[in-house]
Amino acid sequence: HIMHRNGVSHQVVDNDFEGVRAIVKWLSFVPAVRGGPLPTYPTLADKIDRKVFDPRRGPQPEKVYDPRVLLTGATDAIGKWRGGLFDKGSFVESLDGWGMTTICGRARLGGIPVGVVMPEMRTVSKTHPADPADPDSMETTASQAGQVWFPDSAYKTATAIKDMNQEGLPLFIVANWRGFSGGQRDMYEEILKFGSMIVEGLVAYKQPVFVYIPPEGELRGGAWVVIDPTINAEVMEMYVDSSARGGILEPSGIVEIKYRRAQQLEKMAYLDVEVAQLQRQLANASEADRASIAQQLKTRQELLLPLYQKVAEHYADLHDVPARMQAKGCIHGTIDWTWSRRFFYGRLRRRLAEQALLRRMKAVDEGGEASKHKAKLRELVKANVEDRRPRLNSLGDDQTDAAASASSDDDKMNATIKRDHKIADFLESTKEDSPVSAMIADIQRGCVRNVVSQLVSQHEEAALEGFAMAVQGLSMDKRQEMLKTLMDRISQSWALQGRMNPAP
């Protein structure tokens, strides 16, 4: 159990048989070959279109719940089991004995394997055992608050992200962190380095990454910095629940900096009639009455200050709501937790299909620019997947602002889900006569044309000799077809040159 507590062992089992089962279970999440397709096992026992369990409606909604129920589901207030975000029974946690303020593991969404990272919300205890070689040492226990990254849990997060990237898994980050622990001991234990390792892991990530702030969750301080989607905009997307909050500082911190006591008293004198009247009386009062009026003014201000403090914090909180985050371009959309399973399954299918096609394009056109490949992908989807209904703003979709604002959020989400599935079905088509296959063939022909043209420009005689050698391996019919095509192209070139340079 020592190796489990220090992060060396990922899981602890009772015997060899359970160990083999754990290994096989882990391998079931990993592609058979590096870069290969994900091993998808659709489940019939857990539907995609079901609602996702909301812990706020559980048996004890006021109690801080185990965040794992967001992934696995739990029993609700009437004793009925409700499913979580992922398929029932698919979540397998790893490294659970180390860095316990972070939870990581692997799960399935509609049968598709994914990696998961999320924070522990409850306070946990970290035990440092006594050193047997030092008779003066003692066992110590330290408490670690939930929703905070400590050095061990930050390192655990970075390690999990790196492992899941090497395994080729899409990544879900259920973000509910208030920041990093910044004490002197934490700084000495290299928490800044481990935070930067999280960023490095996300920068190098190749598969889709979805960041989601859950119901009543919040993302603050340095925690936002290290998982901001702009770190790797090609693969990362961020969504939030309608009750979530996000921002560098919490509302109380904003008020302490930008709306302190002096600003509140100034606003109070502007809004409250009694305070304004007492201030005017104090300005014109005699020395004998000043003390009494000043005391009345102070009493009134102290009575109103708690109310103004709450109003100021509420005003600051309005800057952290999902609508404001989306207006500032910080997130990709607001997704209600209840229907998040439907949305993310469609979104995951689409992103995986897009990346698979981009890899195919890269394989046939190794020297091509990624931006050009993405532009061709957008044009292909736009030409073959027609859907003009208003939908959520998402990567690669073109729609007017008027269309985007002409419908309710629920209608937009449903339209987005349907469109994502349409695009995934279209891109996953393996038919030889499909537009996808035609585009790949066209790219390949263009690459071959460019290579032959470059070879001719480098050495004409050698290129002709190579062309003659290549023709020898073709059938007679293919040779005649190639000769006819070559003569037609030469004739067209001569005709064009004659029109551009007429004889005198």
Side-chain angles (χ1 to χ4, degrees):
H1 289 280
I2 294 176
M3 297 302 179
H4 188 52
R5 296 292 180 182
N6 63 13
V8 173
S9 300
H10 288 75
Q11 295 183 38
V12 173
V13 295
D14 295 329
N15 51 57
D16 291 346
F17 178 71
E18 293 297 328
V20 172
R21 286 188 61 185
I23 293 172
V24 173
K25 180 77 171 178
W26 193 318
L27 290 175
S28 69
F29 292 101
V30 184
V33 296
R34 188 176 183 86
L38 293 171
T40 302
Y41 304 108
T43 174
L44 301 177
D46 200 359
K47 297 180 180 179
I48 290 295
D49 290 339
R50 64 164 171 80
K51 293 183 179 180
V52 181
F53 174 70
D54 190 339
R56 295 172 296 177
R57 300 186 179 94
Q60 295 177 302
E62 72 284 350
K63 185 178 179 181
V64 178
Y65 56 86
D66 183 349
R68 293 169 183 81
V69 303
L70 296 172
L71 313 178
T72 62
T75 304
D76 64 9
I78 61 175
K80 185 177 181 180
W81 184 84
R82 304 290 185 181
L85 177 61
F86 299 113
D87 298 347
K88 184 177 181 180
S90 68
F91 177 65
V92 180
E93 187 173 356
S94 60
L95 299 170
D96 55 312
W98 169 60
M100 291 186 289
T101 59
T102 289
I103 300 168
C104 63
R106 289 147 188 84
R108 291 186 183 277
L109 179 58
I112 303 174
V114 298
V116 189
V117 176
M118 69 182 304
E120 172 64 75
M121 296 176 59
R122 302 163 296 178
T123 299
V124 299
S125 297
K126 180 181 180 180
T127 301
H128 297 270
D131 187 356
D134 184 3
D136 297 329
S137 66
M138 299 176 59
E139 181 179 280
T140 60
T141 301
S143 295
Q144 293 183 334
Q147 298 179 270
V148 177
W149 265 312
F150 291 86
D152 56 348
S153 56
Y155 186 30
K156 174 180 176 178
T157 303
T159 302
I161 292 174
K162 181 180 178 181
D163 291 346
M164 293 166 187
N165 187 29
Q166 291 177 338
E167 294 171 13
L169 296 178
L171 177 62
F172 278 81
I173 302 177
V174 184
N176 192 6
W177 283 281
R178 298 178 63 189
F180 287 85
S181 178
Q184 184 174 355
R185 175 175 292 183
D186 300 315
M187 300 293 284
Y188 182 77
E189 293 178 354
E190 306 174 291
I191 191 169
L192 290 179
K193 181 177 78 174
F194 297 141
S196 66
M197 289 173 62
I198 296 175
V199 177
E200 292 171 358
L202 292 175
V203 168
Y205 217 89
K206 303 300 182 184
Q207 298 293 330
V209 179
F210 298 99
V211 182
Y212 183 76
I213 307 180
E216 305 293 345
E218 57 182 336
L219 189 59
R220 305 285 183 184
W224 183 296
V225 174
V226 299
I227 58 175
D228 187 276
T230 57
I231 290 173
N232 190 350
E234 299 298 327
V235 302
M236 293 183 68
E237 299 180 17
M238 178 181 282
Y239 300 91
V240 301
D241 181 75
S242 57
S243 63
R245 296 291 184 269
I248 298 300
L249 293 177
E250 296 181 4
S252 57
I254 289 287
V255 171
E256 288 180 5
I257 295 174
K258 292 197 170 185
Y259 209 71
R260 299 180 181 179
R261 179 187 175 94
Q263 285 81 18
Q264 294 180 33
L265 292 177
E266 182 182 350
K267 184 61 68 175
M268 191 184 301
Y270 177 76
L271 296 176
D272 189 74
V273 177
E274 187 174 343
V275 170
Q277 184 178 0
L278 288 171
Q279 285 186 342
R280 287 194 299 269
Q281 291 177 7
L282 183 62
N284 300 322
S286 61
E287 290 296 332
D289 297 333
R290 288 183 66 85
S292 175
I293 297 174
Q295 182 62 37
Q296 295 178 40
L297 177 61
K298 182 178 179 181
T299 302
R300 180 65 178 175
Q301 289 174 338
E302 294 297 332
L303 176 66
L304 295 177
L305 270 175
L307 301 176
Y308 275 73
Q309 179 74 16
K310 288 184 179 179
V311 171
E313 290 181 2
H314 180 69
Y315 178 73
D317 181 65
L318 293 176
H319 291 75
D320 300 336
V321 298
R324 187 60 182 165
M325 287 189 276
Q326 190 159 2
K328 298 295 289 184
C330 300
I331 61 175
H332 292 78
T334 302
I335 307 299
D336 188 86
W337 172 252
T338 304
W339 301 108
S340 58
R341 177 176 167 86
R342 290 178 55 210
F343 173 81
F344 283 119
Y345 175 66
R347 194 68 188 162
L348 178 60
R349 282 193 63 210
R350 174 181 173 177
R351 295 293 286 157
L352 289 173
E354 288 176 342
Q355 289 197 352
L357 181 55
L358 289 172
R359 285 195 295 269
R360 289 178 63 187
M361 295 166 71
K362 184 67 176 177
V364 300
D365 184 16
E366 295 183 359
E369 297 180 5
S371 59
K372 293 183 178 179
H373 292 166
K374 290 172 187 173
K376 288 184 178 180
L377 174 59
R378 292 193 192 97
E379 292 174 0
L380 181 70
V381 170
K382 189 175 180 180
N384 293 275
V385 183
E386 184 176 358
D387 188 355
R388 300 186 180 279
R389 291 174 296 176
R391 53 191 180 274
L392 295 172
N393 292 327
S394 52
L395 300 182
D397 282 351
D398 299 322
Q399 62 176 333
T400 63
D401 294 336
S405 59
S407 185
S408 66
D409 290 340
D410 289 342
D411 292 338
K412 285 193 228 178
M413 190 187 75
N414 291 329
T416 302
I417 294 172
K418 290 180 180 179
R419 178 175 172 79
D420 285 343
H421 281 296
K422 283 184 179 180
I423 294 175
D425 292 338
F426 170 70
L427 297 180
E428 290 171 356
S429 175
T430 57
K431 295 180 180 179
E432 294 184 0
D433 58 345
S434 67
V436 174
S437 300
M439 184 190 69
I440 294 296
D442 184 64
I443 293 175
Q444 193 169 17
R445 284 196 298 270
C447 293
V448 172
R449 286 196 302 267
N450 293 336
V451 170
V452 172
S453 176
Q454 291 175 4
L455 292 175
V456 171
S457 63
Q458 291 175 5
H459 200 294
E460 296 179 0
E461 294 184 1
L464 289 174
E465 292 174 0
F467 181 73
M469 293 173 62
V471 169
Q472 291 177 1
L474 300 177
S475 63
M476 185 59 66
D477 293 340
K478 202 67 178 178
R479 292 183 192 180
Q480 292 177 353
E481 181 182 351
M482 184 176 293
L483 181 61
K484 182 177 181 302
T485 301
L486 182 61
M487 294 302 297
D488 289 343
R489 294 294 175 88
I490 293 175
S491 300
Q492 292 174 5
S493 177
W494 285 346
L496 179 63
Q497 186 176 4
R499 287 195 299 268
M500 296 178 60
N501 301 307

